[in-house]
Amino acid sequence: MKIQIRIITTLFCLFATGPLLAQEPESPKEIRSETKLPGTAAPQTKIQALLSELMTRSSITGLVGENGGQHIFESGTKFPNLSGLKAGSRITYNREFEYGGIGFKHWWETWEINLEYRTTFKNQRTGEGRDEDFLLGSVSREKGTKIDFANASFYDTPYTFTGTQNFADGRGKLKMKDDRIGFLARKYFGGANPDPRKPGSGLYLTGGAYYTYYKYYLYDVMQWIATSPVTYGPIGIGLSYSISTWEVPFGFGYRYSNGTWMYEASLSGNIWYSHFRDYHYQRNLNFIGDSSGFGIETNLGAGYILPSWLFFVKLTEHRLYGEGSFQTQGGLSREDIISNYSGRYRNYLSTKQYSIEFQVSHFL
């Protein structure tokens, strides 16, 4: 009986202690300090905090637009040229194209900076181009000054010579590529705020710089010449024209926002400088020169505001008027080659255009 009791007791102890023996002993937990000493924060954390603070006062914008208007290159004189003619030339380039782009804004207190890039992405068909050669007579007028500060007048037309008679006229298809970079800064006054989500209204000053580069090709040209008999027919590709322009605008505007709707209007004047190359394929002749002058730009826009988004529509009217000089290089005829050594010739550049643009901005 005692043996049975001992056996039962022994078996009970084995079953009771079996699970305990099967468990592996746990290693002691690592003791970590949860307290961070001052000045021990990682440098990346400080940079991330700075970037986060900057982003809360920034937005990124996608935009699409439609441009229209004309750019005109003119040259001429009422004094006889190398061929004995009192003559001039006018080349008209349509500025009708679609574009897209991206922008980035950042603001602090009452200041705002804006960097934008617009492009046609590739060569686009832009309608018709025209190359005219004309005679100048006693009734012809040369009105080169479009913005006349002395007489406080503004002559809003891209044409310089009037009262002329064409002796050659070529019309053809146009294609072009356009790229534009802009940097603008604003200073707000009164109740206006650079963050459109905050209600307020007031004036602002604006200024900055634009750089634009575009290149045209005039092709499938049909040319008319006043010979006897008249010459008319296709000549293929007519010319290429490339130009780079720097503009420095400065002006003022007004902004109103109630936190849901925003309205803006602005007026700027600018000074500009251009370098151009006009190449005539049929004559193997280059016109290479520089021009400068004054311009004016107006903007009118309206936007709808959400907590993280801004939908904005803007209408822009843009004018550039100026003059300069060019020098010829190359040529096939005797007169063209002699012109290479005859100094510089006066020219006028005028751009009259508008754009309708839709923007979608996301507040970061």
Side-chain angles (χ1 to χ4, degrees), residues 68-333:
Q70 293 179 325
H71 172 80
I72 294 180
F73 174 98
E74 288 180 291
S75 179
T77 176
K78 296 183 71 172
F79 300 96
N81 61 14
L82 293 173
S83 61
L85 293 176
K86 301 175 183 180
S89 176
R90 177 189 300 117
I91 309 174
T92 303
Y93 301 93
N94 278 348
R95 297 281 295 159
E96 300 172 359
F97 56 85
E98 299 173 349
Y99 63 89
I102 190 170
F104 177 79
K105 286 185 181 180
H106 177 71
W107 57 86
W108 70 101
E109 296 180 355
T110 59
W111 288 90
E112 173 189 291
I113 57 173
N114 182 21
L115 180 64
E116 292 183 333
Y117 171 64
R118 292 169 171 81
T119 179
T120 58
F121 299 102
K122 60 179 182 179
N123 281 318
Q124 288 190 18
R125 278 290 310 275
T126 59
E128 184 182 72
R130 187 177 182 184
D131 185 358
E132 305 169 79
D133 294 311
F134 47 80
L135 299 173
L136 294 166
S138 59
V139 298
S140 303
R141 294 184 61 194
E142 179 179 347
K143 193 171 182 63
T145 303
K146 310 297 196 305
I147 300 177
D148 188 352
F149 293 104
N151 298 307
S153 64
F154 177 40
Y155 188 54
D156 190 23
T157 175
Y159 296 99
T160 299
F161 296 97
T162 58
T164 63
Q165 181 180 355
N166 283 12
F167 64 85
D169 197 337
R171 297 171 184 258
K173 299 176 183 178
L174 276 180
K175 64 179 180 179
M176 59 88 74
K177 187 177 185 297
D178 187 288
D179 291 280
R180 179 181 176 92
I181 299 174
F183 174 81
L184 292 173
R186 288 183 180 182
K187 167 66 175 176
Y188 290 87
F189 299 92
N193 196 296
D195 187 345
R197 295 169 295 182
K198 297 181 180 180
S201 62
L203 295 173
Y204 61 82
L205 294 178
T206 180
Y210 297 121
Y211 173 76
T212 306
Y213 174 83
Y214 52 85
K215 186 170 185 177
Y216 280 95
Y217 293 95
L218 180 66
Y219 62 102
D220 287 352
V221 177
M222 295 292 291
Q223 186 177 62
W224 169 87
I225 304 176
T227 55
S228 182
V230 169
T231 302
Y232 180 73
I235 63 171
I237 187 167
L239 53 86
S240 67
Y241 178 78
S242 58
I243 182 170
S244 58
T245 301
W246 284 96
E247 299 176 55
V248 180
F250 182 78
F252 65 93
Y254 181 83
R255 169 183 280 188
Y256 167 82
S257 174
N258 63 6
T260 302
W261 292 96
M262 181 183 72
Y263 304 96
E264 283 189 352
S266 67
L267 172 65
S268 296
N270 64 27
I271 57 175
W272 61 272
Y273 162 81
S274 289
H275 179 73
F276 61 85
R277 175 181 178 268
D278 180 28
Y279 176 62
H280 294 247
Y281 284 86
Q282 304 300 321
R283 300 165 65 186
N284 190 34
L285 185 65
N286 288 284
F287 297 166
I288 301 175
D290 305 275
S291 289
S292 60
F294 301 97
I296 189 170
E297 180 178 321
T298 61
N299 291 280
L300 184 65
Y304 179 67
I305 306 167
L306 295 174
S308 297
W309 298 90
L310 170 63
F311 301 91
F312 193 72
V313 177
K314 183 172 72 170
L315 172 64
T316 300
E317 291 280 346
H318 187 217
R319 308 282 190 268
L320 295 179
Y321 300 116
E323 62 182 87
S325 62
F326 67 89
Q327 198 165 12
T328 64
Q329 290 185 11
L332 298 176
S333 69

